Amino acid sequence: MMKQSKQDLERYLDTVCAEVRAKGMHNEIRDELSGHFADLVTERLELGATEEEAQQYAIRQLGDPQAVGRELHQIHKPRIPWGLLAGVILLSAVSLLGMAAVEAGFTEDFIPNALMLRQSVFIILGLAAMTGMFFINFKQLQRASGWIYSGALILIVASLWLGPEMMNGSRRYVSILGFPFDLIGCSPYLFVVALAGIWKRPGGQKTAGGRLRIWMELGLLLLPAAIYILILSFAELVVYLVVALPLYVWITRRWVRAVVVAASCVSGVALYVWSQMYLRDQFNHYFFISDAENGVGFLNRMIHSALTSAGWGGQGITDLAVEERLPYPYTDFFPLYLVQSFGWAGGLLLLVLVCWFMLRMFSYARTVSDTYGRALILALALMLSIRLIYGLTILTGRMPLISIPFPFLSYGQHVFIEFAALGLLMGVYRRKDMLPAGQAPSSL
């Protein structure tokens, strides 16, 4: 009779789990219902019922298995981050509106041909990448963290080897299907995704050889920074360190080592810059903005002039006088061009949208119980937010200009990797109720 009751319970659990598509939750559901079943049996036995009566009573009290399964499916079904999806659609719309304004307000000598059409292609490709990453099982990425880290290194090598030589002998862009892709610019995203998986590997913090592991962690952290210094990719260096160091502290709780690493990187960059004459000159142009005759000092004064003359209504999108034209209004100075054209009111709306978008990204981390998933959201949200914040601070006319593109808005192939990163972030949120914390999922 005990065997028959056990079979009845197994059939009940099988029926319940058949209604729940989140297979990663099946074991937890079975354990929970089995525990509830045992409690009901014990309670009934204490009232004097026989074993068979107690087990039949417990099965009845659990409820209709299909109805229970449907209720559990509603609890553990995929979640769609509608707010964040609406935010990225709004940002894309602003980008296309701005590109149309640039085309209308500048002659063809100042802008690439078919600017809005090209940006539309980048956005469509980005949306496709975002959709693909949205459905990726992020737990599989954790298992592939080492390969992702190696892939980022390979991308840098491929860019240096295959890319055409540009200013100062640097190589960044590789043509893919006729579009120039900045492989070095993509690498910080891959590095932080890989490091989140490596540092959050289950049981990694408790393995033997703790001192060796610490050195390995630091080595993996420092290697990309050293490469960026050697290839003079200071924008990627800044973005990478601002994201990787807080992530390292949050995961390992070793903030002292993070401070030492940061100080070492700053010292190394300072010594390297001081040893190169042309880098010293660029440094002076970046930070001494009172130099109005050339370099970034002149550009920062132009930023200040454009911002203060915009007014609440802006100057419109008509062809501006030559002295009022911003250099690269579709890339580095795109947010400033929006303010110049649509006024402070448009700039205020952009500020509200961007701040809301950043807060929305970080808020999803609190809803995810899986530790790796939470680390992934924090890393990607910080990576995108740093770029958004930098783009907004350009409007102050007091920031060094280091060619960090404004995510989702400014023209270029960078939107492809930004959409992909956002898709991965949303994909983690999608599975937040489909996985037990800290456990690897079954494929859906």
Side-chain angles (χ1 to χ4, degrees):
M1 194 62 64
M2 284 285 292
K3 183 177 180 180
Q4 181 63 39
S5 297
K6 185 175 181 181
Q7 291 176 347
D8 292 342
L9 176 61
E10 289 298 320
R11 282 196 295 269
Y12 181 92
L13 297 176
D14 290 340
T15 304
V16 169
C17 290
E19 301 291 331
V20 182
R21 291 182 57 193
K23 296 181 180 180
M25 295 300 302
H26 284 188
N27 289 338
E28 187 170 291
I29 290 172
R30 298 178 79 93
D31 291 341
E32 182 178 351
L33 291 177
S34 297
H36 189 40
F37 173 83
D39 292 339
L40 290 171
V41 169
T42 301
E43 177 184 328
R44 205 63 178 175
L45 288 174
E46 291 176 351
L47 295 176
T50 64
E51 186 77 25
E52 180 182 357
E53 293 172 341
Q55 291 174 351
Q56 291 177 352
Y57 168 81
I59 288 288
R60 290 194 302 270
Q61 289 299 113
L62 289 177
D64 178 68
Q66 291 183 324
V68 172
R70 286 193 291 268
E71 291 177 3
L72 289 172
H73 173 69
Q74 291 300 314
I75 295 173
H76 300 293
K77 69 179 182 179
R79 305 295 175 183
I80 299 178
W82 293 110
L84 205 57
L85 185 59
V88 75
I89 290 175
L90 282 175
L91 289 173
S92 300
V94 171
S95 176
L96 293 178
L97 174 64
M99 295 304 154
V102 171
E103 283 190 305
F106 287 78
T107 62
E108 291 186 358
D109 294 337
F110 290 88
I111 61 173
N113 293 327
L115 183 65
M116 183 179 175
L117 178 61
R118 287 171 177 263
Q119 184 72 350
S120 299
V121 172
F122 287 134
I123 290 177
I124 291 172
L125 291 175
L127 289 172
M130 184 179 74
T131 303
M133 296 303 293
F134 180 70
F135 291 103
I136 278 184
N137 187 334
F138 71 92
K139 280 294 192 177
Q140 303 299 331
L141 290 182
Q142 185 177 21
R143 301 189 186 102
S145 295
W147 292 103
I148 296 173
Y149 189 95
S150 301
L153 296 175
I154 292 173
L155 284 182
I156 294 176
V157 173
S159 180
L160 297 175
W161 183 30
L162 300 175
E165 187 170 324
M166 303 178 68
M167 186 170 51
N168 296 329
S170 64
R171 298 175 183 269
R172 297 185 61 91
Y173 295 91
V174 173
S175 179
I176 300 177
L177 299 178
F179 291 97
F181 278 86
D182 184 2
L183 300 184
I184 294 177
C186 296
S187 60
Y189 290 93
L190 298 177
F191 280 128
V192 296
V193 168
L195 290 175
I198 293 170
W199 292 338
K200 263 301 181 185
R201 190 166 292 158
Q205 303 298 326
K206 300 179 181 179
T207 55
R211 180 167 297 182
L212 176 61
R213 178 173 179 81
I214 290 173
W215 282 109
M216 290 179 61
E217 289 175 351
L218 291 176
L220 292 173
L221 174 64
L222 284 171
L223 179 58
I227 292 174
Y228 292 140
I229 292 174
L230 290 175
I231 64 177
L232 306 181
S233 293
F234 294 121
E236 284 70 34
L237 173 67
V238 172
V239 170
Y240 170 75
L241 289 179
V242 170
V243 177
L245 288 175
L247 182 66
Y248 177 78
V249 173
W250 184 78
I251 292 177
T252 65
R253 309 301 179 187
R254 298 179 181 129
W255 64 270
V256 175
R257 293 190 181 92
V259 171
V260 172
V261 169
S264 301
C265 289
V266 171
S267 301
V269 171
L271 290 173
Y272 190 83
V273 169
W274 186 256
S275 66
Q276 305 292 328
M277 178 65 73
Y278 76 95
L279 290 179
R280 289 209 305 270
D281 292 340
Q282 288 185 5
F283 180 85
N284 290 331
H285 291 166
Y286 285 152
F287 290 99
F288 293 98
I289 63 172
S290 59
D291 177 13
E293 296 182 359
N294 53 42
V296 179
F298 171 75
L299 292 177
N300 278 324
R301 286 183 177 269
M302 179 180 288
I303 291 171
H304 183 265
S305 175
L307 188 63
T308 55
S309 63
W312 285 103
Q315 300 181 26
I317 60 175
T318 56
D319 197 4
L320 299 172
V322 173
E323 63 272 9
E324 295 177 334
R325 288 173 176 166
L326 294 169
Y328 305 109
Y330 50 92
T331 53
D332 293 350
F333 295 100
F334 184 67
L336 180 62
Y337 176 75
L338 292 177
V339 176
Q340 185 183 42
S341 298
F342 300 102
W344 299 337
L348 184 61
L349 290 176
L350 176 63
L351 175 63
V352 171
L353 174 59
V354 169
C355 291
W356 174 84
F357 188 79
M358 289 189 295
L359 291 174
R360 198 70 178 178
M361 286 192 295
F362 284 107
S363 69
Y364 289 146
R366 297 182 302 173
T367 67
V368 175
S369 58
D370 183 89
T371 55
Y372 169 63
R374 194 183 305 120
L376 207 52
I377 287 180
L378 288 174
L380 294 172
L382 189 57
M383 177 67 73
L384 292 171
S385 296
I386 290 300
R387 296 170 181 268
L388 288 167
I389 292 171
Y390 174 80
L392 292 176
T393 57
I394 291 296
L395 297 175
T396 65
R398 294 293 185 271
M399 285 296 293
L401 305 176
I402 55 176
S403 299
I404 297 178
F406 198 97
F408 307 108
L409 286 184
S410 63
Y411 171 80
Q413 46 74 34
H414 60 88
V415 298
F416 181 83
I417 187 66
E418 291 155 4
F419 273 100
L422 186 65
L424 179 56
L425 187 154
M426 293 193 298
V428 176
Y429 178 83
R430 172 179 178 264
R431 292 174 175 267
K432 73 183 185 70
D433 295 322
M434 301 170 65
L435 300 174
Q439 294 186 18
S442 303
S443 58
L444 295 181

